[in-house]
Amino acid sequence: VMKVHAEAAFASLVLFLVFTSGLAWAGGQQGVHWSYHGDHGPNQWAQLSPDYELCKSGKSQSPIDISAPSRSNLDLLSFHYKDTPLNILNNGHTVQVTYGLGSFINLDGEYYNLLQFHFHGPSEHTVDGKPMPMEVHLVHKNTRGGLAVVSVMMTTGKEHAAIEKIWSSIPAKVWGKVN
């Protein structure tokens, strides 16, 4: 069991859990073009595809601003991650790393398998209206198809060996993959 410590969370300032569907998962698949700004930005996502319809009525629509963050007791959340070969994809929006089977989180007694993680630079979400230099989303799925996304805000600092290994393997071409 991996406990969440600042070092293990890549020097994160904030750790929070977001339950999500549709658009967050669609980021790893080729399809409708979307962005965070302009004609294909968050206010237009529901009109881009029937798959994104929930974006019109969702109450916790991404991106979100975490205002007045505070420390929380995360006893109901535990991480159980194993080493695995990684598959790295440049999907044009982010660098996505598909994770092998066997890693999961336990959230309040329910298991969610780790499917993939991906990076946003700058962060997709903001803290008190300010973006962080980078954010990583760890995307998990339960047996009923529900998603739990753990987001870790990242700051600039000492090089992290695991992240450097991924960065040095990023495919140059959009939709390029590295195993």
Side-chain angles (χ1 to χ4, degrees), residues 104-120:
F104 62 94
I105 59 171
N106 182 329
L107 175 62
D108 197 18
E110 187 160 1
Y111 295 90
Y112 291 79
N113 292 308
L114 177 62
L115 301 176
Q116 53 101 334
F117 59 92
H118 58 270
F119 299 88
H120 295 273

Side-chain angles (χ1 to χ4, degrees), residues 26-37:
Q29 303 165 0
Q30 281 181 298
V32 176
H33 172 73
W34 57 270
S35 71
Y36 292 108
H37 308 286

Side-chain angles (χ1 to χ4, degrees), residues 139-161:
V139 180
H140 305 80
K141 189 174 186 179
N142 66 15
T143 57
R144 296 185 322 274
L147 297 176
V149 177
V150 176
S151 177
V152 180
M153 298 297 202
M154 300 169 67
T155 59
T156 305
K158 185 178 160 189
E159 185 177 287
H160 192 284

